[in-house]
């Protein structure tokens, strides 16, 4: 039985620790295919960071992390996309 992923905010850590993951890769495929701007409106502690981390791992073509997910046999793993990661939590606002 897989353990819950409480406190894990990155897709890589979640998969490497074999934690329970609800596969959202079909939705991520839609986001990548459609392009454009998306506003992620979710309450605090509701998976925004994990979703973006999953999106980053997909863009960087880290296929091993996606074994057994919906997108595993549907994504072009030979292609990589540049990722810019800005972490606002680490910034000083004063």
């Amino acid at each position: 039985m897989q353990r819950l992923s409480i406190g894990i905010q990155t897709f890589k850590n979640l998969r490497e620790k074999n934690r329970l993951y609800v596969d959202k890769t079909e939705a991520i495929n839609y986001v990548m295919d459609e392009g454009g701007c998306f506003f992620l409106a979710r309450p605090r502690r509701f998976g925004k960071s994990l979703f973006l981390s999953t999106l980053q791992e997909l863009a960087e073509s880290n296929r091993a992390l996606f074994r057994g997910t919906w997108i595993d046999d549907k994504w072009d793993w030979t292609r990589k996309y540049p990722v810019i990661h800005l972490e606002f939590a680490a910034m000083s606002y004063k």
Side-chain angles (χ1 to χ4, degrees):
M1 178 184 247
Q2 292 177 308
R3 296 177 61 191
L4 293 177
S5 58
I6 297 171
I8 299 176
Q9 294 183 351
T10 65
F11 183 69
K12 184 176 182 176
N13 285 343
L14 184 123
R15 297 293 282 179
E16 287 177 347
K17 293 180 179 185
N18 194 31
R19 298 298 175 96
L20 183 64
Y21 171 68
V22 177
D23 188 6
K24 297 181 252 1
T25 58
E26 188 173 359
I28 290 173
N29 188 58
Y30 173 80
V31 168
M32 295 294 277
D33 280 347
E34 292 298 313
C37 297
F38 292 88
F39 178 69
L40 301 176
R42 289 181 167 173
R44 289 183 61 210
R45 313 283 305 155
F46 214 77
K48 293 179 296 295
S49 296
L50 178 59
F51 182 80
L52 291 175
S53 172
T54 307
L55 192 62
Q56 178 180 352
E57 295 295 345
L58 185 65
E60 293 174 349
S61 289
N62 293 325
R63 186 175 191 175
L65 297 176
F66 291 90
R67 298 271 187 235
T69 64
W70 180 89
I71 206 163
D72 184 23
D73 61 346
K74 296 166 183 67
W75 187 256
D76 180 6
W77 298 103
T78 62
R79 191 156 183 206
K80 290 187 177 189
Y81 298 89
V83 175
I84 298 172
H85 183 126
L86 302 174
E87 190 170 332
F88 293 106
M91 298 173 71
S92 174
Y93 60 88
K94 293 182 180 182

